Amino acid sequence: MDKRLDRGETSRKILVYVITIIASIMFLFIGNRIATRDLSIFDQDYGEEIAKARVVSVLDRNVDKYVVEGNTLLENVYITFEAVLLDGPNKGETVTATQIIDNMHYTGISEIDTRDRILLVYTDMEGQGWQFLEFIKTDKLLILGILVLISLLVFGRRKGVNTILSLVFTCAAIFVVFIPSILSGHNIYISSILVCLYAIVMTFLIVNGFNQKTWAATVGCLGGIAVSGLLIVIMDKVLSLTGIVDEESMYLTYLPTDMPVDLNAIIFAAIIIGAMGAIMDVSMSISSSLWEVKEKSDGATRESLFKSGINIGRDIMGTMANTLILAYIGSSLSVVLLLSVYSTSLFYLLNREMIVVEILKALVGSFGILVTMPLTSLVCAVCYT
């Protein structure tokens, strides 16, 4: 009887796993078709062609020196070189290109050398031709990514495989569904909520399967996300945010889309997606911890499990709030430094919209975590007993 029950449980887990993967693929496929139905931005012809290339030889190097601000000596470097195109319609062709290093505006740029793998851009403008665009860095990143994946597989084994799979599906949802939906003019609020719901349910089902731990963590996570989203909408009105937090935000208003991009909705999506990871982490940590408490303690009651969840949540709270704040500050450290230097006062700096939005991200994420902790503990206490 026990063997038949174990086989039935295993079959049920496999069935849920397969259904989740199939449903995820269908979500990505159908979501992409809907999101790109009215998308025409990528059909624009800007008269440019970008191609991978490998440097064959350096033909010439000229230096133009000049003085600025009385005594500062700067120089522009002009390098002419030959490169073999590695893709595109002219693959295999050897072309002559130019690298221009403007040391007044950009410092620390390396000069090209033979066998370097680079990106070239060809423009139709007279006298431009092939120009150096960027060094190809993805091959180095790919090596680091492979090392991370191997580490996940060695340490996590089957869980590691599921983690990688859920990560792939989550990233695909962002780049295949969410971003195209923004560019095609769909409602950003609805799109971000749908992507969050998909990522939460898919990740928990793939990583942990359909069980009481997953159910409790999902309910707690959705509750924290819902409160965070509501708080963002309220604070958006209270703070009278414009959505223009930096130079890139202004560029979004110039995109050739059928409908202008809602910058306030972009802030909503950025905060809700950024907080989702931390809230998922907290909800699953509490759910898994309380499950272990229940399994190891025969006399666990609803009250004792709930109190244990609150105590665990208090320990998590401090480090997780720090994680959110430090992550947001670190991601915009360069701009924060510039604003600090060129702001006339600290009070003015703290009222700049970019700083306000960064603070709002950390506060909303922390509040979402605070709601998730007792909610997940309550659901665990009810379900596990």
Side-chain angles (χ1 to χ4, degrees), residues 5-16:
L5 288 175
D6 290 340
R7 285 197 297 267
E9 182 69 18
T10 302
S11 300
R12 186 180 67 85
K13 290 181 179 179
I14 294 175
L15 180 61
V16 171

PDB file of all heavy atoms in Angstrom, residues 5-16:
ATOM      1  N   LEU A   5       1.134   4.253  -2.784  1.00  0.00           N
ATOM      2  CA  LEU A   5       0.954   5.668  -2.443  1.00  0.00           C
ATOM      3  C   LEU A   5       2.144   6.499  -2.891  1.00  0.00           C
ATOM      4  O   LEU A   5       1.986   7.610  -3.410  1.00  0.00           O
ATOM      5  CB  LEU A   5       0.744   5.817  -0.935  1.00  0.00           C
ATOM      6  CG  LEU A   5      -0.603   5.329  -0.389  1.00  0.00           C
ATOM      7  CD1 LEU A   5      -0.628   5.429   1.129  1.00  0.00           C
ATOM      8  CD2 LEU A   5      -1.758   6.126  -0.980  1.00  0.00           C
ATOM      9  N   ASP A   6       3.364   5.977  -2.689  1.00  0.00           N
ATOM     10  CA  ASP A   6       4.564   6.700  -3.108  1.00  0.00           C
ATOM     11  C   ASP A   6       4.595   6.869  -4.624  1.00  0.00           C
ATOM     12  O   ASP A   6       4.954   7.937  -5.131  1.00  0.00           O
ATOM     13  CB  ASP A   6       5.818   5.947  -2.639  1.00  0.00           C
ATOM     14  CG  ASP A   6       5.976   6.011  -1.126  1.00  0.00           C
ATOM     15  OD1 ASP A   6       5.369   6.907  -0.514  1.00  0.00           O
ATOM     16  OD2 ASP A   6       6.691   5.148  -0.566  1.00  0.00           O
ATOM     17  N   ARG A   7       4.218   5.779  -5.348  1.00  0.00           N
ATOM     18  CA  ARG A   7       4.202   5.882  -6.810  1.00  0.00           C
ATOM     19  C   ARG A   7       3.147   6.885  -7.272  1.00  0.00           C
ATOM     20  O   ARG A   7       3.368   7.658  -8.203  1.00  0.00           O
ATOM     21  CB  ARG A   7       3.935   4.507  -7.424  1.00  0.00           C
ATOM     22  CG  ARG A   7       5.131   3.569  -7.382  1.00  0.00           C
ATOM     23  CD  ARG A   7       4.945   2.426  -8.360  1.00  0.00           C
ATOM     24  NE  ARG A   7       3.787   1.601  -7.992  1.00  0.00           N
ATOM     25  CZ  ARG A   7       3.861   0.515  -7.231  1.00  0.00           C
ATOM     26  NH1 ARG A   7       5.041   0.133  -6.744  1.00  0.00           N
ATOM     27  NH2 ARG A   7       2.785  -0.179  -6.934  1.00  0.00           N
ATOM     28  N   GLY A   8       1.998   6.880  -6.585  1.00  0.00           N
ATOM     29  CA  GLY A   8       0.954   7.839  -6.936  1.00  0.00           C
ATOM     30  C   GLY A   8       1.384   9.269  -6.670  1.00  0.00           C
ATOM     31  O   GLY A   8       1.124  10.170  -7.474  1.00  0.00           O
ATOM     32  N   GLU A   9       2.077   9.495  -5.545  1.00  0.00           N
ATOM     33  CA  GLU A   9       2.573  10.837  -5.213  1.00  0.00           C
ATOM     34  C   GLU A   9       3.620  11.287  -6.232  1.00  0.00           C
ATOM     35  O   GLU A   9       3.618  12.447  -6.684  1.00  0.00           O
ATOM     36  CB  GLU A   9       3.163  10.831  -3.805  1.00  0.00           C
ATOM     37  CG  GLU A   9       3.671  12.185  -3.330  1.00  0.00           C
ATOM     38  CD  GLU A   9       2.557  13.175  -3.101  1.00  0.00           C
ATOM     39  OE1 GLU A   9       1.398  12.745  -2.983  1.00  0.00           O
ATOM     40  OE2 GLU A   9       2.851  14.382  -3.055  1.00  0.00           O
ATOM     41  N   THR A  10       4.518  10.384  -6.602  1.00  0.00           N
ATOM     42  CA  THR A  10       5.544  10.715  -7.588  1.00  0.00           C
ATOM     43  C   THR A  10       4.918  11.042  -8.935  1.00  0.00           C
ATOM     44  O   THR A  10       5.318  12.011  -9.604  1.00  0.00           O
ATOM     45  CB  THR A  10       6.533   9.546  -7.750  1.00  0.00           C
ATOM     46  OG1 THR A  10       7.124   9.259  -6.476  1.00  0.00           O
ATOM     47  CG2 THR A  10       7.617   9.893  -8.743  1.00  0.00           C
ATOM     48  N   SER A  11       3.920  10.249  -9.337  1.00  0.00           N
ATOM     49  CA  SER A  11       3.247  10.496 -10.614  1.00  0.00           C
ATOM     50  C   SER A  11       2.546  11.850 -10.601  1.00  0.00           C
ATOM     51  O   SER A  11       2.567  12.584 -11.599  1.00  0.00           O
ATOM     52  CB  SER A  11       2.229   9.386 -10.899  1.00  0.00           C
ATOM     53  OG  SER A  11       2.874   8.132 -10.975  1.00  0.00           O
ATOM     54  N   ARG A  12       1.945  12.193  -9.453  1.00  0.00           N
ATOM     55  CA  ARG A  12       1.270  13.485  -9.354  1.00  0.00           C
ATOM     56  C   ARG A  12       2.258  14.645  -9.468  1.00  0.00           C
ATOM     57  O   ARG A  12       1.997  15.641 -10.142  1.00  0.00           O
ATOM     58  CB  ARG A  12       0.518  13.571  -8.025  1.00  0.00           C
ATOM     59  CG  ARG A  12      -0.347  14.816  -7.875  1.00  0.00           C
ATOM     60  CD  ARG A  12      -1.058  14.827  -6.528  1.00  0.00           C
ATOM     61  NE  ARG A  12      -0.124  14.987  -5.431  1.00  0.00           N
ATOM     62  CZ  ARG A  12       0.318  16.171  -4.995  1.00  0.00           C
ATOM     63  NH1 ARG A  12      -0.092  17.283  -5.582  1.00  0.00           N
ATOM     64  NH2 ARG A  12       1.150  16.235  -3.989  1.00  0.00           N
ATOM     65  N   LYS A  13       3.423  14.515  -8.830  1.00  0.00           N
ATOM     66  CA  LYS A  13       4.446  15.564  -8.908  1.00  0.00           C
ATOM     67  C   LYS A  13       4.943  15.733 -10.342  1.00  0.00           C
ATOM     68  O   LYS A  13       5.116  16.864 -10.821  1.00  0.00           O
ATOM     69  CB  LYS A  13       5.612  15.224  -7.982  1.00  0.00           C
ATOM     70  CG  LYS A  13       5.285  15.325  -6.495  1.00  0.00           C
ATOM     71  CD  LYS A  13       6.504  14.986  -5.648  1.00  0.00           C
ATOM     72  CE  LYS A  13       6.197  15.113  -4.163  1.00  0.00           C
ATOM     73  NZ  LYS A  13       7.374  14.753  -3.327  1.00  0.00           N
ATOM     74  N   ILE A  14       5.175  14.608 -11.017  1.00  0.00           N
ATOM     75  CA  ILE A  14       5.649  14.681 -12.404  1.00  0.00           C
ATOM     76  C   ILE A  14       4.593  15.327 -13.293  1.00  0.00           C
ATOM     77  O   ILE A  14       4.911  16.153 -14.162  1.00  0.00           O
ATOM     78  CB  ILE A  14       6.002  13.268 -12.919  1.00  0.00           C
ATOM     79  CG1 ILE A  14       7.198  12.716 -12.143  1.00  0.00           C
ATOM     80  CG2 ILE A  14       6.303  13.300 -14.417  1.00  0.00           C
ATOM     81  CD1 ILE A  14       7.558  11.286 -12.494  1.00  0.00           C
ATOM     82  N   LEU A  15       3.328  14.978 -13.061  1.00  0.00           N
ATOM     83  CA  LEU A  15       2.245  15.545 -13.863  1.00  0.00           C
ATOM     84  C   LEU A  15       2.150  17.055 -13.668  1.00  0.00           C
ATOM     85  O   LEU A  15       2.027  17.815 -14.648  1.00  0.00           O
ATOM     86  CB  LEU A  15       0.920  14.876 -13.487  1.00  0.00           C
ATOM     87  CG  LEU A  15      -0.326  15.363 -14.245  1.00  0.00           C
ATOM     88  CD1 LEU A  15      -0.173  15.094 -15.732  1.00  0.00           C
ATOM     89  CD2 LEU A  15      -1.580  14.705 -13.681  1.00  0.00           C
ATOM     90  N   VAL A  16       2.229  17.514 -12.424  1.00  0.00           N
ATOM     91  CA  VAL A  16       2.183  18.954 -12.145  1.00  0.00           C
ATOM     92  C   VAL A  16       3.379  19.655 -12.774  1.00  0.00           C
ATOM     93  O   VAL A  16       3.247  20.746 -13.357  1.00  0.00           O
ATOM     94  CB  VAL A  16       2.146  19.203 -10.620  1.00  0.00           C
ATOM     95  CG1 VAL A  16       2.329  20.686 -10.307  1.00  0.00           C
ATOM     96  CG2 VAL A  16       0.840  18.699 -10.033  1.00  0.00           C
TER      97      VAL A  16
END
